[in-house]
């Protein structure tokens, strides 16, 4: 009778499994658990993206209406203010909401590291729930991979889309006196592929610190320090041109030098001798003309120079930051994998 019932059941539902669960189903269970634990954060990220996109659509529409009004048609490209012909008041677009999005993108690696990366493994370790998961036949590698895969995919998608929203919103007013220049902090660090690399770095840093620290709260504090310090360090590197060297532009001292235009000046400029030595501009503090020519002749100067980065260096800064942050993210993730067996 029992054999007959088992035979009938197998015909209706397939063969009865009496052996261990296959590896594929372990992966499915691990991914399902990772989704259950992270779905609130995924939802928050989607909501933030939706709000940013809605604000961008509304504000960009107002920006285009202002540009199409003809009020800015006489404004040339460059850093000098463009003014109204009747009042002399500078003409400026309302780019503050755009700058706020750029600042949000700059802060994104800190927020993701603190609120997503640090608890990713750290909460299970603090509560001891990882032991129950591993007891189900899921390996440490599967436990880690399922969580980091979902978090990394969501982080990359969210940061990439936010960077795309910024670029789309920024384009009509990019590098204009009434808009936002490429070397502004919110544009240089709040757009492009470096936003994605920075967000993944924040996630990797938080995940590693969550594995190392005994308490999630401590891991969150350490992550805040590490990601915040890295953000400030890269901003300092931009301003000092530590990773991207400026170009040197030379001109004669008889006529005024060409306008700076879209270049990002280092603030370093002066005079050049026949031997190529660069001296401070205060040696001959005259803008141009006969006085400057006479002073240069007396001191043996043959030209003037200034240092700046052209607009094309935007992408050099972008890919340099992406390489640094992406490389660090990979190293931190590799370190997490190596420490899994010791810490879990």
């Amino acid at each position: 009778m029992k054999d007959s019932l088992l035979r009938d059941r197998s015909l209706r539902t397939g063969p009865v499994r009496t052996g261990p669960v296959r590896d594929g189903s372990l992966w499915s269970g691990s991914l399902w658990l990772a989704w259950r634990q992270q779905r609130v954060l995924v939802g928050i990220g989607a909501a933030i993206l939706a709000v940013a996109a809605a604000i961008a659509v509304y504000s960009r529409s107002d920006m285009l209406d202002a540009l199409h009004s003809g009020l800015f048609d006489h404004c040339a490209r460059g850093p000098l203010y463009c003014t109204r012909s009747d009042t002399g008041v500078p003409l400026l677009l309302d780019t503050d909401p755009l700058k706020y999005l750029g600042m949000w993108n700059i802060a994104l690696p800190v927020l993701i590291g603190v609120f997503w990366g640090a608890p990713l493994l750290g909460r299970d370790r603090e509560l001891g729930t990882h032991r129950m998961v591993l007891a189900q036949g899921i390996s440490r590698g599967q436990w880690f991979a399922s969580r980091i895969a979902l978090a990394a995919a969501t982080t990359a998608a969210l940061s990439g889309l936010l960077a795309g929203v910024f670029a789309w919103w920024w384009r009509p007013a990019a590098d204009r006196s009434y808009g936002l220049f490429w070397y502004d902090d919110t544009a240089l660090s709040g757009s492009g592929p470096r936003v994605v690399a920075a967000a993944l770095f924040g996630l990797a840093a938080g995940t590693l610190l969550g594995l190392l620290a005994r308490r999630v709260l401590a891991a969150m504090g350490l992550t805040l320090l590490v990601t915040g310090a890295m953000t400030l360090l890269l901003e300092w590197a931009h301003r000092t041109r530590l990773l991207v060297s400026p170009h040197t532009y030379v001109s004669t001292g008889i006529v005024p030098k060409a306008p700076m235009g879209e270049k990002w000046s280092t603030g370093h400029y002066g005079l050049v001798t026949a031997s190529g030595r660069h001296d401070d501009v205060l040696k001959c503090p005259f803008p141009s003309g006969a006085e400057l020519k006479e002073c240069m002749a007396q001191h043996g100067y043959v030209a003037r120079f200034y240092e700046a980065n052209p607009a094309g260096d935007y992408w050099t800064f972008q890919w340099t930051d992406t390489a640094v942050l992406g490389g660090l993210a990979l190293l931190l993730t590799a370190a997490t994998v190596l420490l899994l067996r010791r810490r879990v």
Side-chain angles (χ1 to χ4, degrees):
M1 182 68 177
K2 183 178 180 181
D3 292 342
S4 176
L5 289 173
L6 287 174
R7 186 165 54 250
D8 291 343
R9 183 182 176 189
S10 66
L11 289 173
R12 293 193 305 269
T13 62
V16 178
R17 294 176 181 172
T18 57
V21 182
R22 292 184 304 174
D23 188 63
S25 62
L26 290 178
W27 270 108
S28 299
S30 183
L31 287 171
W32 177 85
L33 183 58
W35 165 250
R36 292 276 297 180
Q37 292 177 329
Q38 300 180 53
R39 60 184 177 178
V40 173
L41 291 171
V42 174
I44 292 173
I48 290 171
L49 178 61
V51 170
I55 295 174
V57 169
Y58 177 80
S59 297
R60 190 178 189 269
S61 177
D62 287 347
M63 180 187 293
L64 292 176
D65 288 343
L67 292 173
H68 293 158
S69 68
L71 190 62
F72 297 85
D73 289 351
H74 67 287
C75 298
R77 299 180 75 90
L80 298 178
Y81 283 118
C82 181
T83 60
R84 293 180 63 103
S85 56
D86 52 348
T87 63
V89 176
L91 286 171
L92 295 171
L93 290 170
D94 182 14
T95 58
D96 285 344
L98 176 62
K99 291 180 180 180
Y100 294 147
L101 177 58
M103 288 187 286
W104 173 267
N105 288 347
I106 293 172
L108 196 60
V110 179
L111 297 172
I112 287 178
V114 170
F115 296 106
W116 202 326
L120 190 65
L121 304 182
R123 191 166 302 283
D124 275 357
R125 288 194 67 245
E126 181 177 345
L127 298 176
T129 51
H130 67 288
R131 297 189 184 92
M132 181 180 65
V133 175
L134 298 178
Q136 303 302 313
I138 296 175
S139 67
R140 292 179 177 84
Q142 289 174 329
W143 175 67
F144 169 69
S146 60
R147 280 153 181 73
I148 197 67
L150 178 59
T154 306
T155 294
L158 173 63
S159 57
L161 289 171
L162 286 172
V165 168
F166 184 95
W168 174 76
W169 187 355
W170 175 40
R171 191 173 295 114
D175 300 333
R176 299 281 184 174
S177 60
Y178 48 77
L180 189 66
F181 279 89
W182 67 270
Y183 50 78
D184 186 273
D185 290 341
T186 53
L188 186 58
S189 299
S191 65
R194 65 99 56 203
V195 176
V196 180
L200 291 173
F201 162 76
L203 177 67
T207 303
L208 176 59
L209 292 170
L211 181 65
L212 294 175
R214 293 182 178 273
R215 296 287 183 267
V216 172
L217 190 59
M220 294 172 75
L222 290 172
T223 303
L224 176 63
L225 291 175
V226 170
T227 53
M230 191 65 193
T231 300
L232 295 175
L233 179 62
L234 282 178
E235 293 301 321
W236 173 79
H238 290 170
R239 294 188 176 279
T240 59
R241 312 306 201 275
L242 179 66
L243 301 177
V244 180
S245 300
H247 300 230
T248 301
Y249 297 87
V250 178
S251 63
T252 63
I254 302 173
V255 296
K257 65 181 181 181
M260 187 70 66
E262 300 171 14
K263 302 184 189 74
W264 185 18
S265 175
T266 63
H268 185 207
Y269 51 92
L271 303 158
V272 185
T273 65
S275 63
R277 189 182 76 246
H278 289 187
D279 285 347
D280 191 89
V281 69
L282 294 178
K283 295 288 185 179
C284 289
F286 306 103
S288 59
E291 291 178 318
L292 177 61
K293 182 180 179 181
E294 181 181 354
C295 181
M296 290 177 65
Q298 289 177 355
H299 294 84
Y301 297 123
V302 296
R304 293 185 296 177
F305 79 93
Y306 68 89
E307 294 180 351
N309 292 91
D313 277 357
Y314 167 83
W315 288 108
T316 307
F317 279 101
Q318 281 288 321
W319 293 119
T320 301
D321 285 3
T322 300
V324 171
L325 292 165
L328 287 174
L330 290 174
L331 287 174
L332 293 175
T333 303
T336 303
V337 172
L338 293 175
L339 289 171
L340 271 177
R341 186 170 294 276
R342 294 185 179 181
R343 307 294 296 189
V344 178

